[in-house]
């Protein structure tokens, strides 16, 4: 939709269009598959071997996970209703090269610091993604202030990053050791106090209070209670999901089918061709268009993972090492991706309602 005074297309019109309505349904289906699949597998199979738990994460290399950020070079000009220029491509290319390289250096020099940064930026990024979906696709009237959007982002990002720490400390420590151990096997011990019972109890009380206060305040200020119900149901479902499902399996499903799918839908709404296909309910064309756009840089990301595998001090010898390389690679790519998404948020004043 174009603004006649500026000629710039806003990212989401005030009234839902056919493409937006279908986009909202896609996010609901993806979320149900992520939560339902993870819970069902855990309930019927019980304790899963780690190689099985890793399957959704492994699939995310090519399915939704890595590709969701592989269109970063296209989204900003499309959000402004402009053609993609060489300058746009150069900006994103330099951003990834400089920011990604600097952050990769932190992994080699101070892996504990790098891991902590990874948790922090993932918490913030996954939270901002959910806020966008609630505001732009669900029309959440209870998120009309910056403070409520920030609190909701902290809640939504904290669910996958903090709840597994509380419910599965041994698995959380295993993942931390797998990543940090690639660079300094002894350094992971510095995180031991985080996994102590007293620390986890404090996190549980603090984060539980944040969830309760955020949802309660949203209920009080909501003009339309239905979007608040969506927010509350999703929040409580995710809370239960990350309490019950082992973290590696839970994060793998959430990364691909919840977070990444929501961002893929957002990028399709920016593309005239994909948005038109959504309006016609032609999902093969819409997703095919996205896959075509994402293919080149998805392949580039795989090369980054391979290069990282050859660069780390230790020789990868176990499945945990391979998982660690992939997650470190994801971390290196996530930081510049967060910058692009933040700029995209600014285009629609997501944090300045």
């Amino acid at each position: 939709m174009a603004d006649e005074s500026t000629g710039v297309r806003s990212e989401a019109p005030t009234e839902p269009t056919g493409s937006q309505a279908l986009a909202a349904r896609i996010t609901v289906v993806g979320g149900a598959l992520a939560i339902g699949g993870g819970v069902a597998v855990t309930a019927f199979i019980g304790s899963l071997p780690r190689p099985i738990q890793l399957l959704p994460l492994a699939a995310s290399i090519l399915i939704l996970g890595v590709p969701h950020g592989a269109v970063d070079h296209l989204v900003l000009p499309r959000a402004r209703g402009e053609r993609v220029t060489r300058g746009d491509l150069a900006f994103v290319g330099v951003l990834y090269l400089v920011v990604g390289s600097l952050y990769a250096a932190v992994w080699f020099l101070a892996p504990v610091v790098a891991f902590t940064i990874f948790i922090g930026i993932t918490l913030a990024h996954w939270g901002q993604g959910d806020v966008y979906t609630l505001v732009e696709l669900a029309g959440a009237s209870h998120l009309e202030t910056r403070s409520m959007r920030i609190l909701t982002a902290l809640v939504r990002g904290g669910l996958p990053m903090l709840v597994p720490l509380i419910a599965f400390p041994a698995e959380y420590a295993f993942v931390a050791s797998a990543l940090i151990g690639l660079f300094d096997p002894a350094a992971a011990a510095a995180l031991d106090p985080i996994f102590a019972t007293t620390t986890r109890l404090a996190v549980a009380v603090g984060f539980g209070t944040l969830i309760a206060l955020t949802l309660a305040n949203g209920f009080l200020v909501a003009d339309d209670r239905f979007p608040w119900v969506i927010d509350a149901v999703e929040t409580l479902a995710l809370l239960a999901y990350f309490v019950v499902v082992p973290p590696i399996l839970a994060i793998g499903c959430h990364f691909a089918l919840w977070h990444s799918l929501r961002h893929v839908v957002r990028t399709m709404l920016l593309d005239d061709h994909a948005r038109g296909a959504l309006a016609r309910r032609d999902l093969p064309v819409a997703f095919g268009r996205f896959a075509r756009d994402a293919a080149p840089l998805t392949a580039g990301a795989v090369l980054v993972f391979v290069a990282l595998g050859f660069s780390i001090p230790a020789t990868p010898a176990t499945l945990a090492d391979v998982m660690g390389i992939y997650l470190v690679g994801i971390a290196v790519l996530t930081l510049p991706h967060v910058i692009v998404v933040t700029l995209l948020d600014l285009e629609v004043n997501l944090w300045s309602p």
Side-chain angles (χ1 to χ4, degrees), residues 289-341:
R289 170 83 175 184
F290 169 81
R292 187 208 68 177
D293 288 345
L297 293 190
T298 298
V302 173
L303 294 178
V304 170
F305 302 149
V306 172
L308 185 62
F310 282 106
S311 302
I312 60 173
T315 301
T318 66
L319 190 60
D321 293 337
V322 176
M323 177 194 71
I325 292 170
Y326 176 49
L327 290 178
V328 170
I330 287 290
V332 169
L333 297 174
T334 293
L335 187 53
H337 172 61
V338 169
I339 295 173
V340 172
V341 175

Side-chain angles (χ1 to χ4, degrees), residues 6-134:
T6 63
V8 176
R9 183 175 58 233
S10 63
E11 187 170 347
T14 302
E15 294 297 326
T17 63
S19 57
Q20 284 181 295
L22 182 56
R25 294 190 187 99
I26 292 171
T27 65
V28 171
V29 172
L33 289 174
I35 292 178
V39 171
V41 169
T42 303
F44 287 103
I45 301 180
S47 180
L48 293 171
R50 284 198 184 114
I52 303 299
Q53 293 184 42
L54 281 167
L55 289 177
L57 200 59
S60 71
I61 297 175
L62 297 178
I63 302 174
L64 296 174
V66 172
H68 91 275
V71 293
D72 280 357
H73 58 300
L74 304 174
V75 293
L76 290 174
R78 285 177 174 175
R80 299 169 186 144
E82 300 171 352
R83 291 183 178 276
V84 180
T85 66
R86 291 181 180 178
D88 296 316
L89 302 179
F91 168 74
V92 173
V94 171
L95 176 69
Y96 266 80
L97 179 62
V98 174
V99 175
S101 297
L102 290 174
Y103 184 33
V106 177
W107 279 99
F108 284 88
L109 299 174
V112 173
V113 173
F115 178 79
T116 305
I117 293 173
F118 183 31
I119 298 300
I121 60 176
T122 304
L123 188 156
H125 177 51
W126 287 8
Q128 76 179 148
D130 274 20
V131 167
Y132 165 81
T133 301
L134 288 168

